[in-house]
Amino acid sequence: MSTAYDQSDERLVEAGTPRAALGAFGRRIRSGDLGMAPVIIGLVVIWVIFFLQNDRFLSSRNLVNLSLDSATIGMISLGIVLVLLLGEIDLSVGSVSGVGGSIMAVLLVYQGWPLLAAILMALAVGVAIGLFYGLLFTQFGVPSFVITLAGLLAFLGVQLWVLGSRGTVNLPVDSWLIEFANFKFLSPLASYVLAVAIGLVYLVTRLRTIQRRRAANLSAPSFQGAVIRSAVMVAAMLFGAWYLNQDRGVGYMPLFWVAAIVTVDLILRKTRFGRSVFAVGGNEEASRRAGVAVNKVYITVFAACSTFAVLGGILAAGRLQSVAQSSGGTDTNLMAIAAAVIGGTSLFGGRGSAYAALFGMLVLQSITSGLNLIGVEAEVRYIVTGIVLLLAVTIDSLSRRARRSSGTA
Amino acid sequence: MNDGSQPILSLRGIDKRFGAVQALSDVSIDVRPGEVVALVGDNGAGKSTLVKIMSGVYQPDGGEITFDGRQVSINGPKAAQSLGIATVFQDLALCDNLDVVANLFLGHERTSAGVLDEVEMERHSWELLRQLSAKIPSVRIPIASLSGGQRQTVAIARSLVGEPKVVMLDEPTAALGVAQTAEVLNLVERLRSRGLGVVLISHNMADVQAVADRIYVLRLGRNGAEFEIGEVTTEQLVAAITGASDNVVAERAARDKTGATIAPEDIDPDAVLPDGHHAPGTGTTPDSDEERDA
């Protein structure tokens, strides 16, 4: 076989061997392209520390709770990741999630709407809020920071107005939303089947890509490598499922959250829209000249962010079984934004991954849960969370500087 | 079809006003397939305005544009692209965070069943880069880690994705070192040998004389002069650009012929050097065209 197209340059330092791949990974890290590495290391460190403090931290029971608690704000954080990829920000996600939850609850409880209709209505409001932000941003050029700061205040008011004098709205105890968010878990068998199915889909798509790359005379990893990767992936998922199954198992709501993250990740990496999100985040003017519909990208992403915020608000209502004036308060807002940043999404735009929402949220929720277990008060939690956030932003800035000095800014 | 002697792109009597400023008046140029046409002129001569008219960014106030034998109006960048006129702007307009493949196909991504066809795009990228004999170590590294010349290469390769007939290069060597400049000039040669019409805008007389077949000199928004490359000297070019023949270069050439030496007091501090910059020591580096247009 002749040399593959992409391996023919004599200056190419990477070849397809595992050692070369490892070397390439090392170079990437040194040149400041950190990816998910810091947050995963951070998560492991946090888990080890809390496990040493209290061995119940890594018990099945606690991890199931952790997964349930992460999903609500984690869903909001997924929207923040999208906005950050464009180099913008949405400070109002907390209020918007509160508004969404309130609209859903009031329509359901006081207007007698069916639950699904109430949820769809709340989501539609979320879309409308995001469209409004996007139009303000693209048509008048108002900075997103200010638009959404105004939104933070205004929608807090809207939430109080929707709830009215009632203050707190309790969802009907038999509602499937509460079931979904608290008591629905995959059966052990279903969780194992799902793990194997995901592994198989991954393996098949990977083998097909390898085949197509070989047909196109491009270098491709070996088939055995793909099989080993898939096997490791399946084994990890099976172990995770088995461990959670020792308690209640894999919850519907966390599964829904992870599915949303995987979907967003696929959209970002595999579609033209996703490509244009990264392009606009990297160089807006270049994208415009290349024919990317820049305004459409902004509006769509703002709409998606607000919609994910409402979705998070609805899940939170289901988890807490009620909506109150304090729903979606400051804590929600800050945690959602902090999770996206801790997960490794750059504040400077154009760098990050949907999985930032997953790992960032797990870090924050682990801190909360771990400190609760060792009986520390809320003030310590805030301080620790603040320090972790600061650490994450510092890593982001340092890696940006490293990229600059290695010529890859 | 075009046999190579008919212009692929032809502008006749182009006028463009910005408020009280007549940026271009009655400018005409022809670009033939397989020909490198250089546009030179001092700052403010109207080079960038003309390029922007050809790439659809500005609309001319008068005159006509003929492309491939048909009279056309270029309403916007998209219209220019679909006609087959590609422009490589001075700032290259690349996304640093994306890899080479993503930049090459930005806005024109290939998909199959709604999903990006990375294999096809990567294969096509290598094909394009091979045609240009371009030296890019990998198409899967971010643009940010490439050198200036390599970025210019990617920008030029990107202009070829839509299979254009005319490629305009705005100051392609302005920010490059010696070796990288040579690389880009080689690229221009290859564009010509592929039968493309190339419009090269440059301040650098050496570059222009190295690759151009014909040179149009713009002066104060008008057609100043037109030269075939074989029959022009640097002094003539400088004279046409500045509108005067009494400049240091011409004087020096005259003295060289007579064997006289140059005394410092002979050097005119306001004279313009052949690369379009004022003599050192005058302290006034002229603003670029872009700043003037802004």
Side-chain angles (χ1 to χ4, degrees):
Chain A
M1 199 179 111
S2 65
T3 322
Y5 268 148
D6 53 344
Q7 299 294 327
S8 52
D9 195 304
E10 67 274 15
R11 288 167 305 167
L12 199 61
V13 278
E14 300 163 24
T17 66
R19 178 189 282 180
L22 209 65
F25 179 73
R27 264 194 306 282
R28 265 214 336 262
I29 296 289
R30 275 195 301 282
S31 69
D33 188 3
L34 302 178
M36 305 298 297
V39 64
I40 293 176
I41 294 169
L43 190 62
V44 170
V45 169
I46 288 168
W47 280 19
V48 168
I49 290 175
F50 283 123
F51 178 69
L52 294 178
Q53 297 290 317
N54 184 335
D55 59 6
R56 270 190 303 150
F57 178 74
L58 287 186
S59 67
S60 297
R61 179 173 179 73
N62 197 48
L63 290 185
V64 170
N65 284 337
L66 191 70
S67 71
L68 289 171
D69 290 333
S70 299
T72 57
I73 299 183
M75 192 64 93
I76 304 175
S77 192
L78 183 55
I80 292 289
V81 169
L82 288 174
V83 176
L84 285 180
L85 282 179
L86 292 182
E88 300 300 327
I89 186 70
D90 186 342
L91 297 174
S92 70
V93 283
S95 303
V96 171
S97 81
V99 168
S102 307
I103 289 175
M104 187 271 300
V106 168
L107 287 178
L108 175 71
V109 176
Y110 293 100
Q111 308 293 321
W113 287 37
L115 179 54
L116 189 64
I119 289 176
L120 289 178
M121 186 65 205
L123 289 175
V125 170
V127 174
I129 292 171
L131 288 179
F132 178 64
Y133 285 166
L135 285 174
L136 273 182
F137 180 79
T138 53
Q139 302 307 309
F140 302 115
V142 188
S144 60
F145 180 85
V146 181
I147 299 176
T148 57
L149 188 62
L152 164 72
L153 292 168
F155 290 114
L156 185 59
V158 172
Q159 180 183 353
L160 298 182
W161 173 69
V162 168
L163 289 172
S165 56
R166 295 177 282 266
T168 303
V169 181
N170 291 310
L171 301 187
V173 264
D174 58 344
S175 118
W176 58 257
L177 182 61
I178 293 177
E179 285 281 310
F180 176 82
N182 294 285
F183 309 119
K184 284 285 191 187
F185 294 90
L186 283 183
S187 72
L189 180 64
S191 67
Y192 302 139
V193 170
L194 185 65
V196 173
I198 292 172
L200 280 179
V201 170
Y202 177 78
L203 179 65
V204 168
T205 38
R206 211 163 157 80
L207 290 183
R208 272 189 50 195
T209 308
I210 293 175
Q211 211 171 21
R212 288 201 55 211
R213 285 185 67 89
R214 290 198 174 154
N217 195 18
L218 295 167
S219 70
S222 64
F223 285 117
Q224 294 94 314
V227 173
I228 293 172
R229 267 176 92 132
S230 311
V232 170
M233 213 172 101
V234 169
M237 284 191 294
L238 283 177
F239 174 75
W242 171 81
Y243 197 72
L244 293 179
N245 284 334
Q246 301 311 300
D247 189 59
R248 284 152 288 169
V250 181
Y252 276 21
M253 184 168 70
L255 194 65
F256 179 54
W257 173 46
V258 173
I261 289 173
V262 172
T263 309
V264 169
D265 177 63
L266 290 177
I267 289 174
L268 284 176
R269 288 190 301 115
K270 304 279 183 194
T271 68
R272 294 191 66 175
F273 173 76
R275 180 61 51 82
S276 40
V277 169
F278 280 102
V280 172
N283 188 339
E284 186 193 326
E285 183 55 32
S287 314
R288 184 172 286 126
R289 282 199 217 148
V292 174
V294 173
N295 285 354
K296 220 160 83 185
V297 171
Y298 277 118
I299 293 174
T300 312
V301 164
F302 276 114
C305 179
S306 297
T307 311
F308 277 120
V310 167
L311 193 55
I314 291 170
L315 294 182
R319 174 96 176 117
L320 301 171
Q321 317 194 0
S322 67
V323 176
Q325 290 178 338
S326 61
S327 297
T330 5
D331 224 23
T332 311
N333 223 356
L334 299 182
M335 292 288 252
I337 296 170
V341 177
I342 290 171
T345 315
S346 174
L347 290 167
F348 306 105
R351 279 168 215 278
S353 143
Y355 290 104
L358 178 68
F359 291 107
M361 198 61 228
L362 286 180
V363 164
L364 284 182
Q365 202 56 48
S366 299
I367 293 171
T368 308
S369 150
L371 290 176
N372 277 341
L373 269 183
I374 54 178
V376 178
E377 302 298 319
E379 62 259 27
V380 181
R381 180 169 75 84
Y382 282 123
I383 294 170
V384 172
T385 308
I387 291 172
V388 171
L389 176 60
L390 192 62
L391 213 69
V393 178
T394 311
I395 290 174
D396 180 26
S397 302
L398 282 179
S399 70
R400 184 176 151 94
R401 189 185 291 173
R403 282 198 300 274
R404 278 219 179 118
S405 61
S406 69
T408 56
Chain B
M1 271 314 288
N2 210 308
D3 62 359
S5 57
Q6 293 303 310
I8 176 84
L9 175 66
S10 169
L11 279 71
R12 286 281 166 271
I14 297 293
D15 288 312
K16 179 69 188 173
R17 283 182 81 90
F18 294 107
V21 181
Q22 185 80 34
L24 293 174
S25 53
D26 196 23
V27 172
S28 301
I29 71 165
D30 289 319
V31 184
R32 296 191 182 85
E35 179 187 54
V36 179
V37 170
L39 268 182
V40 299
D42 206 354
N43 296 309
K47 303 187 297 290
S48 289
T49 310
L50 193 59
V51 169
K52 283 176 180 164
I53 283 173
M54 288 189 277
S55 60
V57 177
Y58 294 152
Q59 308 308 313
D61 296 328
E64 58 187 48
I65 303 174
T66 316
F67 188 84
D68 211 1
R70 288 177 299 121
Q71 195 174 328
V72 294
S73 62
I74 306 174
N75 304 320
K78 285 241 160 178
Q81 276 171 22
S82 59
L83 274 178
I85 304 175
T87 313
V88 180
F89 289 100
Q90 196 173 355
D91 63 0
L92 303 186
L94 298 170
C95 290
D96 278 354
N97 57 331
L98 298 182
D99 64 19
V100 175
V101 176
N103 268 289
L104 285 176
F105 289 91
L106 187 58
H108 310 276
E109 290 88 353
R110 306 279 165 84
T111 57
S112 69
V115 176
L116 292 179
D117 193 344
E118 296 284 359
V119 176
E120 167 60 20
M121 288 195 283
E122 187 168 336
R123 194 190 59 74
H124 198 121
S125 302
W126 284 113
E127 238 171 55
L128 272 176
L129 294 171
R130 282 249 171 123
Q131 282 169 12
L132 296 172
S133 306
K135 294 273 185 218
I136 303 281
S138 161
V139 291
R140 288 297 177 193
I141 52 176
I143 286 294
S145 48
L146 298 180
S147 73
Q150 289 170 335
R151 289 180 200 209
Q152 188 77 48
T153 303
V154 173
I156 292 173
R158 176 164 78 178
S159 72
L160 300 182
V161 168
E163 310 214 325
K165 295 179 174 146
V166 175
V167 176
M168 284 190 283
L169 305 171
D170 191 2
E171 296 277 1
T173 59
L176 301 183
V178 176
Q180 296 176 339
T181 299
E183 204 173 306
V184 169
L185 294 182
N186 281 336
L187 229 53
V188 174
E189 291 282 356
R190 262 174 236 119
L191 294 181
R192 169 170 50 199
S193 60
R194 290 184 63 184
L196 295 169
V198 181
V199 181
L200 174 71
I201 293 90
S202 185
H203 262 120
N204 189 321
M205 291 305 128
D207 292 355
V208 166
Q209 288 178 307
V211 292
D213 299 309
R214 244 156 7 98
I215 302 174
Y216 284 102
V217 180
L218 287 183
R219 183 166 156 68
L220 303 176
R222 293 171 185 279
N223 275 108
E226 181 185 342
F227 298 106
E228 295 291 328
I229 193 68
E231 63 188 26
V232 66
T233 62
T234 308
E235 299 90 81
Q236 284 173 310
L237 269 178
V238 172
I241 289 170
T242 58
S245 52
D246 53 339
N247 60 68
V248 270
V249 179
E251 279 170 27
R252 180 171 192 163
R255 269 192 304 273
D256 282 352
K257 276 177 196 145
T258 60
T261 52
I262 310 172
E265 59 269 25
D266 288 343
I267 296 172
D268 174 4
D270 292 325
V272 177
L273 291 177
D275 64 353
H277 292 285
H278 285 284
T282 57
T284 52
T285 311
D287 296 329
S288 74
D289 280 9
E290 274 61 38
E291 286 168 55
R292 189 192 59 80
D293 284 334

